[in-house]
Amino acid sequence: MTEIVFNPIGTVHSPFQDPRDMPIQPIGARGVRGRIELDPAYTAGLKDLEGFSRVILLYHLHRSKGYALEVVPFLDKTPHGIFATRAPRRPNAIGLSVLKLVRVDGATLTVEDVDILDGTPVIDIKPYVPAFDAYPDERAGWLAATCETARTMRSDDRFC
């Protein structure tokens, strides 16, 4: 396969310095505020973003080393295939979070519901569009029984 190279467009700033004891999903980080500092070269790309209430943030899980094809995720005690989880130890260490957009100020986005480590490199930002991105009646697989516990679950050192 051909190698794919991404260059970060910015950095996430959050209160989380250590992956242990941080929220495992944005739902468990309600109200946690952070900033996305973009490289000033990308500022023009933020035009009209302030009209959206949420953004989809794609980022590099830069502290994740290696990967496993089967993992025991935070919300279960049973091993699952990595692609049936959101665990960070992945073949391509790409994270995704849907964050509340509070403000756009130059090359800085103020966001809430941040479940991301401080210093995380940003790969891309996309607007969240409910008509395109929300499918509330779809199946959640093995997570259906444990989704609600994501509000209070915190990470541990299993993926460090």
Side-chain angles (χ1 to χ4, degrees):
M1 291 193 157
T2 304
E3 181 180 43
I4 300 170
V5 177
F6 291 106
N7 294 306
I9 62 170
T11 305
V12 174
H13 297 286
S14 80
F16 305 112
Q17 303 293 318
D18 189 313
R20 291 173 287 253
D21 200 38
M22 61 182 272
I24 62 163
Q25 293 294 322
I27 196 165
R30 292 283 193 223
V32 174
R33 198 166 270 209
R35 291 183 336 277
I36 301 166
E37 298 281 346
L38 288 189
D39 180 313
Y42 298 108
T43 303
L46 297 174
K47 182 178 185 247
D48 301 322
L49 188 63
E50 70 277 355
F52 294 87
S53 60
R54 293 194 175 269
V55 294
I56 299 169
L57 191 70
L58 298 171
Y59 47 92
H60 176 58
L61 298 163
H62 66 296
R63 300 261 305 265
S64 181
K65 304 295 182 217
Y67 69 91
L69 294 179
E70 287 189 17
V71 297
V72 177
F74 294 118
L75 296 175
D76 204 358
K77 293 181 170 101
T78 304
H80 296 278
I82 190 67
F83 302 124
T85 77
R86 294 187 174 193
R89 196 164 284 161
R90 316 183 70 75
N92 289 307
I94 297 171
L96 176 150
S97 293
V98 178
L99 305 174
K100 182 177 181 182
L101 180 61
V102 176
R103 175 174 56 256
V104 177
D105 183 25
T108 301
L109 306 178
T110 301
V111 292
E112 286 185 355
D113 306 341
V114 178
D115 65 330
I116 307 164
L117 280 173
D118 187 61
T120 296
V122 175
I123 296 171
D124 201 5
I125 301 166
K126 298 176 184 289
Y128 173 84
V129 181
F132 303 163
D133 301 320
Y135 300 95
D137 297 328
E138 298 299 326
R139 296 176 298 155
W142 66 269
L143 279 164
T146 61
C147 280
E148 287 304 311
T149 59
R151 293 179 188 276
T152 56
M153 178 71 69
R154 294 295 180 255
S155 69
D156 51 31
D157 62 358
R158 77 181 78 185
F159 298 115
C160 292

